[in-house]
Amino acid sequence: LGAAFALLFASLMYGIDPSVVLSVMNKGKGTLSEIMELESIINTPLTIIASLTAFHYIKTAQTWAAHVVFTQVFRFFVLVLAGLFVGGVLAFFLITILKKGSMGEFSYLSLITVMILAYVVAEVVGGSGVLAVSAFGVVFGRSHLKHKIELEKYASILSTSIRVLAFILAGSVLFVKSQYVIKGTLLFLAYLLVRFVSVVFSLSKQRLSLRERLFMTANVPKGLDVAVVLLILMSSNLAGGENMTAVINLSMLFILYSVALSVVVTAIFGGKKKQAVI
């Protein structure tokens, strides 16, 4: 199971959430901001799916035998597909209603209500509530509504509030043990080195300066999706195990380092003089 725990940790640390940094930069449009926005849209659902896949395998690995493999695989597909289906259907349902006419202030209430409903329904039918909400956000975000700007402002405020509450909750129940600080620090430095190499090679055809490549390398804040998955891991019956404890501690340390580094990098590279470039 060691490889599965390593995959779980890698899946969690893969994703980044530059939305906070881009909002500080007034969402300046340009090559760099467009690349980072696209990266965020792609890797957020992949982070959730990959991490939940690894976690599901770890939970059921002890019971995997030839006669139950099909059952476990079926349950996994139900977990993923039911979550995606419920979130997508409810988002489409809400979009259809809002397109027929403005509901005034009830539009904001309907948005949060349907999101909560998507999570609850997905969990009830055996799917993933986290994936359902993610699918809801993706479908709703790609829609075209007359009053979408107002709804996006409300959703942004709501998202920020939930993000703050999630990180406060995660910080109150998750504590980084001292024995993981040195290992976590070295891993984070190695992570930054690998990301820099990846940025250089994957964007070799883009005319990006060294400053911009360093900005993309260091701007790696972990988002709400990672915090939520960590809380799920913490509440599982595997939380007391040695491997799961290491994953939780190292992930929490990565969150602290990544957010702190992103704030510093944004302050240095995200000034008014650089917004037009970034």
Side-chain angles (χ1 to χ4, degrees):
L1 290 177
F5 281 102
L7 177 61
L8 174 61
F9 176 70
S11 300
L12 287 172
M13 296 304 101
Y14 160 75
I16 67 170
D17 182 15
S19 57
V20 178
V21 178
L22 290 176
S23 65
V24 174
M25 295 158 50
N26 295 323
K27 296 183 180 180
K29 297 301 179 182
T31 302
L32 189 57
S33 63
E34 291 174 357
I35 292 174
M36 296 186 68
E37 286 178 322
L38 179 61
E39 180 184 12
S40 176
I41 293 173
I42 294 176
N43 66 28
T44 297
L46 290 179
T47 297
I48 297 175
I49 293 176
S51 59
L52 290 180
T53 301
F55 179 56
H56 178 75
Y57 171 77
I58 292 171
K59 284 199 307 180
T60 59
Q62 292 84 356
T63 62
W64 279 53
H67 63 284
V68 295
V69 169
F70 177 78
T71 302
Q72 297 295 347
V73 172
F74 177 76
R75 288 180 180 177
F76 166 71
F77 277 105
V78 170
L79 179 76
V80 175
L81 296 180
L84 295 177
F85 178 78
V86 170
V89 169
L90 289 181
F92 180 78
F93 174 75
L94 178 62
I95 292 170
T96 302
I97 293 178
L98 293 178
K99 281 185 176 181
K100 290 184 178 180
S102 175
M103 299 173 60
E105 295 181 355
F106 288 102
S107 299
Y108 310 110
L109 181 61
S110 64
L111 179 61
I112 181 62
T113 301
V114 177
M115 282 196 303
I116 295 175
L117 183 63
Y119 183 92
V120 173
V121 172
E123 291 290 332
V124 169
V125 300
S128 171
V130 177
L131 279 179
V133 176
S134 300
F136 179 93
V138 171
V139 175
F140 188 82
R142 299 296 96 188
S143 64
H144 299 281
L145 298 171
K146 294 181 179 179
H147 305 283
K148 188 179 177 182
I149 297 179
E150 289 78 5
L151 289 174
E152 286 182 342
K153 291 180 180 178
Y154 172 77
S156 177
I157 297 174
L158 179 63
S159 174
T160 301
S161 302
I162 294 176
R163 183 181 291 109
V164 171
L165 290 175
F167 278 109
I168 290 177
L169 180 59
S172 64
V173 299
L174 302 177
F175 301 94
V176 180
K177 297 182 179 180
S178 58
Q179 68 216 55
Y180 293 102
V181 173
I182 297 179
K183 294 180 181 179
T185 303
L186 293 177
L187 278 175
F188 187 74
L189 293 176
Y191 166 72
L192 292 178
L193 178 61
V194 172
R195 179 168 173 81
F196 177 75
V197 174
S198 300
V199 169
V200 171
F201 279 95
S202 61
L203 300 177
S204 58
K205 296 183 179 180
Q206 299 289 336
R207 296 182 178 179
L208 299 178
S209 65
L210 178 61
R211 171 188 285 268
E212 291 172 325
R213 295 181 192 277
L214 290 175
F215 179 84
M216 290 194 66
T217 299
N219 187 21
V220 288
K222 306 308 170 187
L224 180 61
D225 50 345
V226 177
V228 171
V229 174
L230 275 182
L231 290 174
I232 294 175
L233 300 181
M234 189 65 185
S235 62
S236 69
N237 56 359
L238 300 175
E242 181 180 354
N243 289 330
M244 186 61 75
T245 300
V247 170
I248 293 174
N249 277 267
L250 291 175
S251 298
M252 192 63 189
L253 195 63
F254 264 58
I255 290 177
L256 296 175
Y257 282 160
S258 64
V259 173
L261 181 60
S262 295
V263 171
V264 174
V265 170
T266 302
I268 295 176
F269 297 126
K272 292 183 179 180
K273 293 182 179 180
K274 304 300 177 184
Q275 286 182 14
V277 177
I278 297 176

